[in-house]
Amino acid sequence: MARHVQSLAELEVLCNQLYEGTDLAQRIQAEKVLLELIDSPECLSQCQLLLEQGTTSYAQLLAATCLSKLVSRTTPLPIEQRIDIRNYILNYVASQPKLAPFVIQALVQVIAKITKLGWFEVQKDQLIFRDIIADVKKFLQATVDHYIIGVMILSELTQEMNLVDYSRPSAKHRKIATSFRDTSLKDILMLACSLLKEVLAKPLNLQDQQQQSLAMHLLKLVLNCLNFDFIGNSADESADDLCTVQIPTNWRTIFLEPETLDLFFDLYHSLPPVLSQLALSCLVQFASTRRSLFSNPERAKYLGNLIKGVKRILENPQGLSDPGNYHEFCRFLARLKTNYQLGELVMVKDYSEVIRLIANFTITSLQHWEFAPNSVHYLLTLWQRMVASVPFVKSTEPHLLDTYAPEITKAYITSRLESVPVVIRDGLEDPLDDTATVFQQLEQLCTVSRCEYEKTCALLVQLFDQNAQNYQKLLHSSSRNPLEITVQEGGRLTYTSTDEHDAMDGELSCRVFQLISLMDAQLPRSSNEKVELAILWFLDQFRKTYVGDQLQRTSKVYARMSEVLGITDDNHVLETFMAKIVTNLKCWGRCEPVISRTLQFLNDLSVGYILLKKLVKIDAVKFMLQNHTSKHFPFLGVNDNYSLSDLRCRTTFYTALTRLLMVDLGEDEDEFENFMLPLTVSFETVTQIFNNSFKQEEAKRMLIGLARDLRGIAFALNTKTSYTMLFDWIYTSYLPILQRAIELWYREAACTTPILKLMAELLQNRSQRLNFDVSSPNGILLFREASKMICTYGNQILSLGTLSKDQVYPLKLKGISICYSALKSALCGNYVSFGVFKLYGDNHFDNVLQAFVKMLLSVSHSDLLQYRKLSQSYYPLLECLTQDHMSFITSLEPHVLMYILTSISEGLTALDTIVSSSCCASLDYVVTSLFKHIAKEGKKPVRCREISQDGQRLLHFMQQNPEVLQQMMSILMNTIIFEDCRNQWSVSRPLLGLILLNEKYFSELRASLITSQPDNKREVLDQCFRNLMEGVEQNLLVKNRDRFTQNMSVFRRDMADALRCEGATEASSLDMMS
């Protein structure tokens, strides 16, 4: 007993260190020891000890956590043991109802997991884990504390049943969830509603914590029932406004009773805010009930009850002063229009009164911009959808939107303008700085403002003129700052312009173009970043609407602009755009947001042939092409005032500039040399620094900038002629400098990443630009340089040793992923004949493949799949190697080959289809190579013995490790039968080869699945498997593969039907599939 007490004391100390400790090292050590406890055979007895004798809540929490992990294992505990754990916990919480809430929550979670995972398990002809509802009813008959625990069990169980565990087959989850929905969920909802009625019937004592706790857990239970994924569509929670709740048809009676909605509206009005917002959350789901649940008269009646509740809330708005209630009520209003048509809403009794109340509520909300800003989205969604529906309303009843929509628009605009002085005066956070939210709101507002658009335009013109006059006055005085910012919103809001109102758009646009002239005249003496960003956003919207390849030349937008500004067509507008771009690049060199937004605008303009032809005639463009130096454009400078991340925008600049250069370049090498002159000068400077004094920091900054510039140029050169000019310029003189930089600064990702990305871009054979002339060695020369760089980087980066978790990606894995991407481009580019390397004793190809292996072995399998960019470069590269360089794969050491095959095996189940498809293709090439070798061995002509050494090595490896291919066959069969297989064709290709190579194992898999099902299903499943191989021959010819793929498509459908039918047991015994 002494040992137990001692171990209990030790465990409690570890618990305190883990949950309360402030020393990070101590916490990590405690976590490590406690994780070992879960894997030890003593785990259950230790958990029991902690629960029964632990003196702190944290000890009990640890026990619950360990039990949760224990029962969630892929290999389940014996059924008797799980029953014992469940009964023990039920008795434990029944005997100690005063435990800490978080301990009860954790223990209840264990019960829910056991119930879910054992939902279909049978003992003595009884579904042993389904009697949980009966157990809960015992709790409901005892004290209030027991009552609460019973409700918590049901709530947690409902949530657990809805929770998708991606480590288990999705079909199994759906089958359990569907069965729970059909057998238990309706009863649970009805029970919860009846219990809530009892709570409401009693006089509410707001000081009684027990009563509040009970009401809270009951409301959470109802919410979990209504949030259930009824049809398995796993709705994305971020798409909140698109949600429709697919209530089962047999729940109709609950929803048709007016008392159900009344109950939750009454609860909202009776409960304190912390609970009433849960009642509103339930009402949000009620408002989202699918339309097809009701007939037309029933739906009208249901909507009438919802609207009546809305009216009651708005007439008694005290509860809406709570941010939680306010937010849920805004969601509730938005869902009304999501689920019901405007034609239905206008027919509701009291519609005119309710729409007035909603409009007043919206206006008040917009005016109080600092209160719950995230909820405004839902109100604007409601109005946006209402206005968008106006053309489709057939009802004669007035919708009144032409009265209220302009008021909403006016409230939004004026409230945002009025917020500016308050923000400046009180030093508050500026709501207009959150550009993503502002842009989203303006997208919604532009629809609302189309209703009575003349009023919107008149308001904007009035406010804009008023602020512009104030601004001009202030320019002559000393205090400039406050009102400069107010102009911004006017600039932004001109996006409310639309195609149908071109003349009014022209009136608004004139003012912004005049503002641009006024602002640019003040530069660089006076400037405002926010106004500049707003103007750029306006210019981009104007470009999308009125400038482009499909331009309406007769657009009325130019009528007013030609009168005021002399801008008669899109050519004049393009000149204004380019003048603005050049001004910004000259004057805003130190402001990264303005520079990057300006360059993005330039980049957008440079896409499209017709626009490019117009742009190159403009003087500002000619100036940029001839003067792209830091003297004219300070952001191209590399001094210490700029952070290294600011240099990223240079790639965008040079991409756009090179597109403009390409329009008239043709084969003019002198023109290209002139364009590259600033880069030539910079490279020569770096060369001198390398050869002489070596100012490390300056050289590094210059090289980072040059690498980014050249990547932009290389990206835009899509013809063989222009790419060859770049290659001739860079190859002999400047690639060695980049190689030197990789050797020197391999530890600094800020330097290596741009250089490696440049090399990866140079290796891309986009538009066949690298298909050099037959007499040219350029393809091989380029590959040799790439090989040197990858080998240098690979060898150097491995010398860093073990890196911490937060450093491993930026310092190592990111670079490796770029190397793999570059190598893949080279291997798949079709511009290098790799056979010549071995023929002429050149080891560059072998070296780069060995570097690939070294880098790969330094990465764990979990990292390969955890880091998306790494997995998306490694697996396509591996596909390329197995397709064209199988001799290299078979020549690898057994442990390396095992590593690669294991990575394929793990990637087969990846959620990313790029990864899983590449794994299937790689596996197919390996299996096909092995199958062909065995087929040739069977024939054994003398001349084949020499060239079959590669195949012999592969065959020997597979004979030594037969479980490798067997496991992959299991995974693919599991994917086809049980999973949501999104790349069926890819999966079918390697599967045929695996079946032909492992016919005996395939028969065992098949028998295992069939015997796990009831007798009445076995014949159907057996027929499915026979149909799968029907007409399939013993070869891997394309025709035979296609036949198998067709069969597999039918097989997958038939198996799903057979396993879905009533009476089929869940194939939980398919451990062969794990």
Side-chain angles (χ1 to χ4, degrees), residues 19 60-72 85-86 89-90 93 101-118 132 149-161 163 224:
Y19 292 115
Q60 295 156 344
L61 177 62
L62 174 70
T65 308
C66 289
L67 287 172
S68 180
K69 292 191 173 175
L70 206 59
V71 300
S72 304
I85 293 172
R86 186 195 67 168
I89 294 175
L90 283 169
V93 291
F102 60 84
V103 175
I104 294 178
Q105 186 72 37
L107 288 167
V108 161
Q109 206 169 41
V110 179
I111 296 171
K113 285 187 174 176
I114 292 173
T115 306
K116 178 181 177 178
L117 297 173
I132 190 73
I149 292 169
V151 175
M152 284 175 75
I153 292 171
L154 290 179
S155 188
E156 191 61 46
L157 178 61
T158 308
Q159 197 167 341
E160 183 64 38
M161 287 291 186
L163 202 65
N224 286 342

Side-chain angles (χ1 to χ4, degrees), residues 362-367 369 373 376-377 380 405-419 431-432 434-446 448 459-460 463 489 492-493 496:
T362 307
I363 291 166
T364 307
S365 299
L366 292 172
Q367 287 167 345
W369 50 267
V376 169
H377 162 77
L380 291 177
E407 291 183 19
I408 305 297
T409 308
K410 181 179 179 180
Y412 184 90
I413 297 169
T414 52
S415 65
R416 269 43 190 175
L417 286 170
E418 286 160 6
S419 74
L432 303 180
D434 183 1
T435 50
T437 302
V438 171
F439 290 169
Q440 184 186 41
Q441 289 174 359
L442 293 180
E443 290 280 355
Q444 295 170 312
L445 196 73
C446 79
V448 180
L459 174 70
L460 281 172
L463 291 170
E489 193 56 34
R492 283 196 173 160
L493 271 164
T496 52

